[in-house]
C-alpha cells in the first residue's frame, strides 16, 4: 500500500512540474490538460485518503477499548460538517456573490479557516477534546481534514 501511495505522489509531482513548464501560457491546450490531470489525481488521492480513514475508523470501532475514541472522532466529524455548512450559508455565499468571479480572497479563506477551528472547538465539550488529544491526534489537523473532505465531497469551495 505504501509503495502505491509513493508512486501516486511521485506521479502527481511529475504532473505538477509539467504544469510549471506550461505556466507561461496557462490557456494553452497543454496547460489546461496538465491542470485537469493534476485535479483528477488530487481528487483520486482525496478519495483514497477518505476510504483509508473510513477503514481505520471502522477498525477502531471494532475494538471495545477504543469505542469512546471512535465516538469522539465521529462527534468531531459531525460537528465539523455542521459548522462548514453553517459557514457556507452565513458567510461564504454572500462573499462569493459580492466578489468578482465568485472567488474568495486569501484573507477570506484564512478567516474562514480560523473561524472554523474556533467554532468547532467551542461546540465540542472538554472531555471529547481531551480524549482525542490523549489519543495522540492533532485536533486542528483533524478538523481541517474533515472540513476539506466534506467540502470536496459536496463540491463546495471554502478552503
Amino acid at each position: 500500500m505504501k509503495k502505491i501511495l509513493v508512486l501516486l505522489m511521485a506521479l502527481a509531482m511529475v504532473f505538477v512540474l509539467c504544469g510549471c513548464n506550461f505556466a507561461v501560457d496557462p490557456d494553452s491546450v497543454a496547460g489546461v490538460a496538465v491542470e485537469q490531470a493534476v485535479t483528477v489525481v488530487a481528487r483520486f488521492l482525496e478519495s483514497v485518503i477518505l476510504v483509508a480513514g473510513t477503514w481505520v475508523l471502522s477498525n477502531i470501532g471494532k475494538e471495545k477499548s477504543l469505542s469512546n475514541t471512535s465516538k469522539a472522532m465521529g462527534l468531531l466529524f459531525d460537528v465539523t460538517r455542521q459548522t462548514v455548512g453553517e459557514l457556507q450559508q452565513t458567510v461564504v455565499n454572500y462573499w462569493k456573490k459580492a466578489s468578482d468571479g465568485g472567488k474568495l480572497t486569501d484573507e477570506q479563506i484564512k478567516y474562514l479557516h480560523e473561524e472554523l477551528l474556533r467554532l468547532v472547538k467551542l461546540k465540542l465539550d472538554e472531555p471529547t477534546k481531551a480524549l482525542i488529544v490523549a489519543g495522540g491526534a492533532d485536533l486542528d489537523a483533524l478538523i481541517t481534514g474533515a472540513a476539506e473532505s466534506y467540502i470536496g465531497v459536496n463540491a463546495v469551495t471554502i478552503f
Side-chain angles (χ1 to χ4, degrees), residues 45-118:
L45 291 175
E46 288 173 5
S47 300
V48 168
I49 291 169
L50 184 63
V51 168
T54 304
W55 178 78
V56 167
L57 282 178
S58 69
N59 284 344
I60 288 174
K62 291 177 185 175
E63 295 290 327
K64 237 183 172 43
S65 62
L66 298 175
S67 66
N68 288 340
T69 305
S70 178
K71 289 178 185 176
M73 296 287 280
L75 179 63
L76 172 71
F77 295 152
D78 289 342
V79 168
T80 301
R81 283 190 290 269
Q82 176 190 15
T83 307
V84 166
E86 290 170 0
L87 287 172
Q88 176 71 28
Q89 290 178 351
T90 59
V91 179
V92 174
N93 289 338
Y94 298 109
W95 281 352
K96 283 186 172 183
K97 287 178 185 176
S99 71
D100 293 332
K103 298 281 185 175
L104 299 178
T105 65
D106 290 338
E107 294 83 25
Q108 290 171 331
I109 292 170
K110 183 179 179 196
Y111 169 79
L112 284 171
H113 185 257
E114 292 169 357
E115 190 66 9
L116 174 71
L117 294 175
R118 186 186 72 78

Side-chain angles (χ1 to χ4, degrees), residues 107-149:
E107 294 83 25
Q108 290 171 331
I109 292 170
K110 183 179 179 196
Y111 169 79
L112 284 171
H113 185 257
E114 292 169 357
E115 190 66 9
L116 174 71
L117 294 175
R118 186 186 72 78
L119 289 173
V120 170
K121 289 178 181 178
L122 187 67
K123 289 178 183 180
L124 282 178
D125 58 347
E126 288 302 320
T128 302
K129 288 190 275 190
L131 183 62
I132 292 170
V133 171
D138 180 5
L139 195 59
D140 290 351
L142 285 174
I143 293 169
T144 302
E148 289 175 352
S149 172

